[in-house]
């Protein structure tokens, strides 16, 4: 008798429970996704209309939802979350927090993390739920050093998290990520593992582990607790504790492919929620689409009905006396389809009495109620979405700029929860990275960090030192800093606002306006103004301009005397002048 794999059984049982618990909501989410990809008609209604015995009837799809989706998603792209890492306990260090912050930026840059964030955010907007993840990868085939990478999850429906309360999934005890691999790829990555179709026939579930050309592979992260009866605490005392670690394995429906410990203390799957609620103990999630679906379907129906009515109008018949069309029947029969300069008819009836020319029956008018209904539907759509005309660039000519801005703010407030939930999830992602960093960077090495202005620098990391930050006096008189990311506790704050490039361009424009009326200001911050411009060679001009600054404005170098107090006072006075000038520009 074949021995059962307890881990495989546990993984399959937990996965099956997740699928059953979320099946109803996932069906709704799939319908939401189909709706925003232009499948907006109920299948039964479409079938009836298209197979009508009297001829196919219009089933128009007037896409009004994607302009709102794009607006919310692009707002997320423009207002990217900005991280701020801060020390928490006495052993943590402010400078080390800055290094961690730069390291996270470098990881985001190398990972193209913005793609992961935006993909998860877009899923949350469309269906109410998105995911991205953190992985570790070797730097290259010949290196034992690993890199931390933030990756996107392209398909939300390939992810399940165990029961959790936090909207970022941070308190989940386990999670799954699917991937369907072509058979040849699976064999190359997993030599010797089972691939025959008959091996999967007796699974007894509907998880579709083996398709004609693919095998489904699932990653399983789970928390493991180990009882330590006499654990030593920080104050020297002892007590029984349950130590939590994270395990990982990869499996198909019939066998474990590989397994190992995960370095961090969190399940590295991050959830992004659109909106959520709990109804009778069950979690319900939705995005921007679901509340507006009924109104949008009604709009499609009414527009199809109006189109159908207008389409029938040219087909109304001509009314004429008997014998008026004799000899020219085909001309009159095709009058609705052919462009003829004239139509001839017999001006007398069969009794020889003169009669008027044939007349077309007037088409039935489009009822005013039908036109008014479309306007009501448009209003209902905007109310369902919480977004109004100004949100998508539509405004009335008589509205003032202040009124338009007020409407835009109202719409931004109505959809703010999407970007706010994304920022919360990014905060959890950064916590995962902070937790992983000292465990992955476990040897002394130089690490690259990135500043807010995208300038790259290197720092020295030494996991063996006992303090977070120490300084060494070098033979050339310079001071070298060495950091240990594993000493001390750090937390994360995330703020949402324009990206650095946007803020830089705004700063450049503001400084340029200041110098237009006050040329002397160029001698004070000209280097910063040129550095903020986004065109080729601007940074070179900024460097040259910086060398021309007065000594009082030059950055002090190592060992250089600080700026004299009288110069500082002059600079403060000049700063006051700049602030006054800035206020006048805004007014």
């Amino acid at each position: 008798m074949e021995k059962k794999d307890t881990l495989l059984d546990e993984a399959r049982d937990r996965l099956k429970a997740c699928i059953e618990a979320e099946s109803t909501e996932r069906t709704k989410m799939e319908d939401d996704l189909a709706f925003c990809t232009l499948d907006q008609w109920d299948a039964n209604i479409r079938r009836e209309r298209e197979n009508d015995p009297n001829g196919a009837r219009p089933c128009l799809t007037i896409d009004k939802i994607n302009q709102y989706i794009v607006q919310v998603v692009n707002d997320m792209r423009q207002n990217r979350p900005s991280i701020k890492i801060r020390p928490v306990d006495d052993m943590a260090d402010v400078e080390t927090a800055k290094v961690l912050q730069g390291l996270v930026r470098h990881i985001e840059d190398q990972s193209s993390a913005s793609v992961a964030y935006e993909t998860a955010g877009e899923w949350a907007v469309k269906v109410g739920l998105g995911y991205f993840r953190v992985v570790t990868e070797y730097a290259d085939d010949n290196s034992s050093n690993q890199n931390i990478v933030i990756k996107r999850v392209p398909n939300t429906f390939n992810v399940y998290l165990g029961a959790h309360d936090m909207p970022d999934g941070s308190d989940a005890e386990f999670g799954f990520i699917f991937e369907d691999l072509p058979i040849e790829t699976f064999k190359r990555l997993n030599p010797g593992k089972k691939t025959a179709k008959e091996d999967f026939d007796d699974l007894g579930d509907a998880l579709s582990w083996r398709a004609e050309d693919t095998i489904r592979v699932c990653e399983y992260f789970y928390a493991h607790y180990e009882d330590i009866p006499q654990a030593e605490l920080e104050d020297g005392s002892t007590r029984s504790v349950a130590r939590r670690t994270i395990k990982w394995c990869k499996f198909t429906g019939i066998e474990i492919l590989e397994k190992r410990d995960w370095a961090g203390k969190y399940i590295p799957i991050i959830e992004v929620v659109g909106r959520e609620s709990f109804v009778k103990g069950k979690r319900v999630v939705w995005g921007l689409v679901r509340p507006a679906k009924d109104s949008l379907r009604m709009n499609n129906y009414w527009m199809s009905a109006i189109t159908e009515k207008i389409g029938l109008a040219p087909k109304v018949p001509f009314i004429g006396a008997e014998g008026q069309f004799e000899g020219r029947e085909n001309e009159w029969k095709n009058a609705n389809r052919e462009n003829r300069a004239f139509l001839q008819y017999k001006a007398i009836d069969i009794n020889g009495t003169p009669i008027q020319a044939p007349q077309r029956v007037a088409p039935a008018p489009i009822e005013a109620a039908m036109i008014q209904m479309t306007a009501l539907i448009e209003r209902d759509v905007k109310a369902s979405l919480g977004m109004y005309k100004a949100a998508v660039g539509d405004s009335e000519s008589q509205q003032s700029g202040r009124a338009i801005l007020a409407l835009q703010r109202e719409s931004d407030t109505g959809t703010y929860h999407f970007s706010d939930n994304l920022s919360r999830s990014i905060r959890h992602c950064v916590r995962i990275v902070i937790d992983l960093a000292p465990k992955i960077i476990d040897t002394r090495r130089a690490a690259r960090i990135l500043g807010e202005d995208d300038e790259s620098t290197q720092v020295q990391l030494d996991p063996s030192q006992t303090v977070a930050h120490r300084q060494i006096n070098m033979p050339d008189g310079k001071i070298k800093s060495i950091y240990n990311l594993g000493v001390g506790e750090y937390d994360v704050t995330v703020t949402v606002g324009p990206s650095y490039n946007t803020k830089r361009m705004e700063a450049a424009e503001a400084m340029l306006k200041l110098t237009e009326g006050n040329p002397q200001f160029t001698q004070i911050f000209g280097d910063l103004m040129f550095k903020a411009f986004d065109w080729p060679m601007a940074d070179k001009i900024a460097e040259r301009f910086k060398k021309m600054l007065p000594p009082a404005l030059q950055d002090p170098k190592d060992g250089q005397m600080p700026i004299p107090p009288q110069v500082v006072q002059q600079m403060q006075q000049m700063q006051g002048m700049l602030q006054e000038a800035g206020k006048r520009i805004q007014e």
Side-chain angles (χ1 to χ4, degrees):
M1 184 176 178
E2 187 177 354
K3 184 180 178 181
K4 279 196 170 185
D5 191 320
T6 306
L7 177 58
L8 178 62
D9 290 341
E10 175 192 274
R12 286 186 53 193
D13 289 345
R14 281 182 162 181
L15 177 58
K16 186 176 180 180
C18 284
I19 292 173
E20 289 175 353
E22 297 186 25
S23 61
T24 302
E25 282 307 301
R26 296 256 173 159
T27 300
K28 294 177 184 177
M29 290 162 59
E30 287 171 352
D31 189 65
D32 294 343
L33 181 63
F35 192 91
C36 61
T37 49
L38 307 185
D39 184 8
Q40 299 183 0
W41 282 81
D42 179 271
N44 294 327
I45 295 176
R46 179 185 285 277
R47 195 180 305 111
E48 279 184 20
R49 293 178 68 88
E50 290 179 345
N51 298 321
D52 191 293
N54 298 319
R57 302 173 65 188
C59 290
L60 304 182
T61 299
I62 313 299
D63 181 30
K64 288 179 173 288
I65 189 63
N66 277 291
Q67 62 173 327
Y68 297 101
I69 292 174
V70 169
Q71 182 69 32
V72 176
V73 172
N74 285 346
D75 278 347
M76 289 181 178
R77 294 184 177 188
Q78 288 180 326
N79 297 286
R80 290 180 180 169
S82 174
I83 64 167
K84 177 74 173 178
I85 297 176
R86 62 183 188 276
V88 175
D89 61 7
D90 294 339
M91 299 181 68
D93 173 71
V94 173
E95 292 303 315
T96 308
K98 292 179 181 178
V99 170
L100 270 170
Q101 192 164 314
L103 180 65
V104 171
R105 285 200 196 100
H106 177 69
I107 290 170
E108 288 181 320
D109 179 67
Q110 294 299 300
S111 307
S112 297
S114 60
V115 177
Y117 301 156
E118 290 157 10
T119 301
E122 185 168 349
W123 275 102
V125 171
K126 287 181 176 179
V127 304
L129 206 58
Y131 297 94
F132 59 101
R133 64 182 304 193
V134 178
V135 302
T136 58
E137 298 176 347
Y138 286 104
D140 55 63
D141 293 339
N142 300 316
S143 174
S144 61
N145 292 335
Q146 293 189 74
N147 294 329
I148 300 170
V149 181
I150 300 169
K151 297 186 72 172
R152 80 172 188 145
V153 174
N155 187 352
T156 278
F157 298 112
N158 283 355
V159 180
Y160 286 92
L161 278 180
H164 57 280
D165 293 325
M166 297 300 293
D168 54 14
S170 56
D171 57 335
E173 291 288 298
F174 57 88
F176 301 90
I177 299 181
F178 286 117
E179 184 180 14
D180 292 326
L181 293 179
I183 299 294
E184 293 304 315
T185 303
F186 178 86
K187 289 180 178 179
R188 176 173 57 82
L189 297 176
N190 305 280
K193 299 299 181 181
K194 296 178 182 178
T195 58
K197 198 167 185 180
E198 55 269 20
D199 291 330
F200 293 82
D201 288 342
D202 297 329
L203 288 178
D205 57 34
L207 299 181
S208 304
W209 291 102
R210 175 67 157 84
E212 188 65 33
D213 301 316
T214 62
I215 289 180
R216 176 160 290 181
V217 176
C218 184
E219 293 181 68
Y220 172 42
F221 292 90
Y222 59 100
H224 175 75
Y225 293 90
E226 180 182 359
D227 289 330
I228 304 177
Q230 296 296 322
E232 185 174 347
L233 306 181
E234 293 179 357
D235 60 1
S237 62
T238 60
R239 68 177 171 86
S240 178
V241 298
R243 181 167 294 170
R244 183 179 190 262
T245 57
I246 303 299
K247 306 285 186 178
W248 171 91
C249 77
K250 183 182 286 188
F251 68 98
T252 63
I254 55 176
E255 62 184 328
I256 299 290
L257 304 176
E258 53 181 313
K259 56 184 177 180
R260 61 175 176 265
D261 292 340
W262 173 252
K265 65 180 180 181
Y266 298 104
I267 304 291
I269 304 172
I270 302 98
E271 183 177 87
V272 182
V273 172
R275 295 189 65 185
E276 70 172 348
S277 185
F278 290 86
V279 180
K280 296 182 179 179
K282 288 192 175 182
R283 187 182 187 220
V284 179
V285 295
W286 67 97
L288 193 70
V289 178
R290 195 175 304 173
K293 280 164 66 175
D294 286 345
S295 295
L296 292 168
R297 282 185 171 135
M298 188 161 53
N299 182 76
N300 288 338
Y301 175 81
W302 279 100
M303 294 307 295
S304 297
I306 291 172
T307 301
E308 185 176 15
K309 194 157 191 176
I310 293 174
L312 290 173
K315 298 180 181 179
V316 296
F318 286 93
I319 302 298
E322 183 179 356
Q324 280 192 297
F325 307 113
E326 188 177 344
R328 300 184 181 275
E329 289 87 354
N330 285 334
E331 294 178 14
W332 285 93
K333 184 178 181 180
N334 297 321
N336 290 327
R337 296 194 299 269
E338 297 177 353
N339 292 324
R340 290 180 175 271
F342 58 89
L343 288 170
Q344 298 186 60
Y345 69 97
K346 290 185 177 180
I348 57 175
D349 61 14
I350 57 177
N351 298 319
T353 306
I355 54 177
Q356 294 181 346
Q359 301 290 320
R360 189 192 293 272
V361 176
I366 302 298
E367 291 86 348
M370 298 183 76
I371 303 300
Q372 291 173 358
M373 192 66 183
T374 59
L376 292 174
I377 292 170
E378 184 76 20
R379 185 198 64 186
D380 291 342
V381 169
K382 290 179 171 61
S384 300
L385 299 174
M387 300 178 69
Y388 302 91
K389 289 184 177 181
V392 287
D394 187 10
S395 60
E396 298 178 7
S397 58
Q398 67 270 24
Q399 285 181 320
S400 66
R402 182 173 295 180
I404 293 172
L405 287 174
L407 287 173
Q408 288 176 338
R409 282 195 296 270
E410 184 178 356
S411 297
D412 290 343
T413 302
T415 59
Y416 178 73
H417 52 279
F418 290 110
S419 59
D420 189 49
N421 287 346
L422 177 60
S423 68
R424 289 177 183 174
S425 298
I426 292 174
R427 182 188 183 194
H428 177 48
C429 174
V430 175
R431 282 178 174 165
I432 293 175
V433 173
I434 292 173
D435 173 55
L436 278 177
K439 299 164 185 173
I440 298 302
I441 308 174
D442 55 358
T443 58
R444 181 167 181 159
R445 65 166 109 161
R448 192 164 294 280
I449 64 174
L450 210 62
E452 188 181 11
D453 57 356
D454 292 338
E455 288 190 4
S456 177
T457 56
Q458 277 193 338
V459 295
Q460 285 292 327
L461 303 180
D462 183 1
S464 64
Q465 73 180 27
T466 57
V467 293
H469 176 209
R470 67 187 175 101
Q471 294 181 321
I472 301 174
N473 294 319
M474 304 300 290
D476 59 1
K478 293 183 178 179
I479 298 176
K480 182 178 182 180
S481 291
I482 303 178
Y483 305 91
N484 183 354
L485 305 181
V487 175
E489 298 233 350
Y490 300 88
D491 204 355
V492 189
T493 301
V494 176
T495 57
V496 179
S499 65
Y500 180 79
N501 286 338
T502 304
K503 289 186 285 187
R504 185 178 63 186
M505 289 186 285
E506 290 176 353
E509 183 179 357
M511 286 187 282
L512 187 62
K513 287 182 178 178
L514 284 171
T515 57
E516 287 176 356
N518 306 274
Q520 70 275 17
F521 288 168
T522 307
Q523 300 300 320
I524 300 172
F525 53 73
D527 61 321
L528 300 178
M529 182 174 66
F530 284 111
K531 187 177 181 180
F533 283 120
D534 190 17
W535 34 263
M537 307 303 289
D539 56 337
K540 300 292 184 184
I541 297 174
E543 286 296 323
R544 294 186 180 187
F545 203 98
K546 189 174 182 179
K547 297 175 182 178
M548 301 167 56
L549 290 175
L553 296 178
Q554 294 281 354
D555 293 332
K557 299 179 181 178
D558 294 337
Q560 186 175 335
M561 293 293 292
I563 301 174
Q566 62 271 23
V567 177
V568 173
Q569 185 178 4
Q570 292 175 0
M571 293 173 65
Q572 290 174 344
Q573 292 174 351
M574 188 62 71
Q575 184 179 6
M577 294 173 60
L578 289 172
Q579 290 175 348
E580 289 297 324
K583 289 179 181 177
R584 288 197 297 272
I585 289 175
Q586 292 178 350
E587 292 172 355

